């Protein structure tokens, strides 16, 4: 499915007002590519490969290894100098250098001057900002990867909405409507190499498609599974957020993970210590 087959295209809009965005895309939960939301960002010109190499080249970054069969798995990562990673990523592709810097929020947190280089559009106002900080995950995050770097099909954490701004390179997105989730078999199917014997109904899936390049921002609504591949070496900044249409699922999942889950973990650690002490 993820070959060069063409699918219905996601709308591309410029000059999209907040009112129009809410009416045409946020409330009906439809994806859209907005072509001018990053106009005026310093990051558009400043964030080059040479900039990151000169400013942060010696910093150790966590990069995730990709296995052709298992894809990304917990623990399959290593730490490399940022400059070395960029050099290898730009010169190679995912088949010869299968490493992806994914979901990195630490660089933006540790160097707050970078946060001055971009502005989150009002279209993506995040209701998590109204909650105590311990109920929030750190966003935005950076993705840097070589040509061919893949993000397996998935539904975003806590069924949040998401936006992603493309700064360097191009990415191809396939997005599946929420009513086709069952055709993805719990997102176990490999979109780029489907196993028809194990997942026969996947052939019924009808995604929509978008290719985004520098300056484009894509909106992925809550509950839309998506698969992404880099068409060349890429740099993206992205964030998940809570807003109209995903308040219930996002808030419930947040409380379960950040409060109940942490309480269970703390109780388990206390119980283990008490057993060892006994």
């Amino acid at each position: 499915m993820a070959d060069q087959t063409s699918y219905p295209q996601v709308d591309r809009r410029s000059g999209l007002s907040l009112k129009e965005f809410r009416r045409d895309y946020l409330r009906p939960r439809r994806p859209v590519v907005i072509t001018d939301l990053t106009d005026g960002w310093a990051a558009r010109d400043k964030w080059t490969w040479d900039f990151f190499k000169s400013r942060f080249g010696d910093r150790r970054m966590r990069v995730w290894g990709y296995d052709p069969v298992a894809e990304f798995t917990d623990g399959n990562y290593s730490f490399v100098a940022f400059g070395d990673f960029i050099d290898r990523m730009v010169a190679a592709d995912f088949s010869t250098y299968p490493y992806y810097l994914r979901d990195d929020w630490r660089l933006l947190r540790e160097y707050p001057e970078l946060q001055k280089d971009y502005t989150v559009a009002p279209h993506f106002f995040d209701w998590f900002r109204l909650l105590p900080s311990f109920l929030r995950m750190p966003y935005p995050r950076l993705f840097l990867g070589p040509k061919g770097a893949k993000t397996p099909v998935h539904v975003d954490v806590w069924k949040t909405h998401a936006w992603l701004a493309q700064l360097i390179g191009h990415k191809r997105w396939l997005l599946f409507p929420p009513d086709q989730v069952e055709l993805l078999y719990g997102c176990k199917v490999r979109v780029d190499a489907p196993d028809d014997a194990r997942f026969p109904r996947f052939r019924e899936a009808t995604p929509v498609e978008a290719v985004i390049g520098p300056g484009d921002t894509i909106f992925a609504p809550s509950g839309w599974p998506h698969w992404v591949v880099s068409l060349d070496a890429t740099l993206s900044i992205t964030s998940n957020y809570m807003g109209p249409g995903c308040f219930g699922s996002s808030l419930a999942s947040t409380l379960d993970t950040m409060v109940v889950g942490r309480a269970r973990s703390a109780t388990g650690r206390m119980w283990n210590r008490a057993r060892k002490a006994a």
Side-chain angles (χ1 to χ4, degrees):
M1 171 171 285
D3 55 17
Q4 293 307 306
T5 303
S6 181
Y7 301 99
Q9 299 294 299
V10 173
D11 288 354
R12 293 181 61 87
R13 298 285 300 272
S14 61
L16 186 66
S17 70
L18 181 57
K19 180 179 180 180
E20 291 170 327
F21 172 72
R22 289 172 173 168
R23 181 193 66 207
D24 297 339
Y25 301 102
L26 180 59
R27 292 195 183 100
R29 289 167 59 188
R30 294 177 56 214
V32 63
V33 175
I34 309 175
T35 63
D36 54 0
L37 285 186
T38 64
D39 288 358
W41 282 19
R44 285 285 304 277
D45 297 317
K46 179 179 177 182
W47 288 13
T48 64
W49 302 135
D50 287 340
F51 166 75
F52 283 107
K53 287 167 58 179
S54 64
R55 181 72 175 83
F56 312 107
D58 294 332
R59 189 186 186 281
R60 306 293 286 181
M61 303 291 286
R62 179 165 64 177
V63 298
W64 292 87
Y66 179 84
D67 183 271
V69 176
E71 299 197 283
F72 295 105
T73 56
D74 291 342
N76 185 14
Y77 60 83
S78 57
F79 289 90
V80 300
F82 201 5
D84 292 342
F85 171 74
I86 290 174
D87 283 340
R88 297 192 66 180
M89 175 194 75
V90 172
D93 61 28
F94 211 42
S95 63
T96 57
Y97 188 62
Y99 293 93
Y100 203 176
L101 196 160
R102 311 168 68 235
D103 270 324
D104 184 84
W105 51 268
R106 293 173 179 83
L107 194 71
L108 299 178
R109 286 291 182 93
E110 293 175 14
Y111 300 93
E113 64 268 25
L114 291 174
Q115 299 173 27
K116 300 176 183 178
D117 294 339
Y118 62 87
T119 304
V120 179
H123 302 60
F124 311 129
F125 179 78
D126 187 2
W127 290 356
F128 281 124
R129 291 171 55 187
L130 306 177
L131 300 179
S133 58
F134 72 89
L135 289 177
R136 293 180 253 150
M137 289 194 295
Y139 286 105
R141 302 183 178 194
L142 299 177
F143 279 69
L144 293 87
K147 178 181 179 179
K150 301 170 186 175
T151 297
V153 66
H154 65 286
V155 176
D156 278 336
V157 61
W158 301 341
K159 290 189 176 180
T160 46
H161 300 308
W163 60 265
L164 180 143
Q166 193 65 22
L167 295 173
I168 300 177
H170 300 77
K171 285 183 171 178
R172 183 187 186 211
W173 285 60
L174 296 183
L175 302 100
F176 299 82
D179 61 4
Q180 296 184 20
V181 168
E182 64 179 24
L183 305 180
L184 304 179
Y185 295 86
C187 291
K188 295 177 182 177
V189 68
R190 284 281 301 272
V191 171
D192 54 329
D195 185 334
D196 290 342
R198 291 183 61 198
F199 309 117
R201 294 200 63 202
F202 179 60
R203 287 173 290 184
E204 303 172 29
T206 54
V208 294
E209 176 183 6
V211 173
I212 60 172
D216 290 338
T217 303
I218 189 167
F219 166 65
S222 168
W224 278 70
H226 44 279
W227 176 90
V228 187
V229 62
S230 293
L231 303 181
D232 42 20
T234 55
L235 165 64
S236 313
I237 182 170
T238 184
S239 183
N240 291 84
Y241 72 100
M242 177 169 59
C246 68
F247 176 76
S249 62
S250 298
L251 184 60
S253 298
T254 301
L255 294 173
D256 182 63
T257 302
M258 309 298 275
V259 178
V260 178
R262 286 177 177 175
R264 287 172 179 161
S265 296
T267 300
R269 288 193 297 268
M270 292 174 60
W271 175 249
N272 287 334
R273 285 197 296 266
R275 289 180 60 189
K276 291 178 181 179

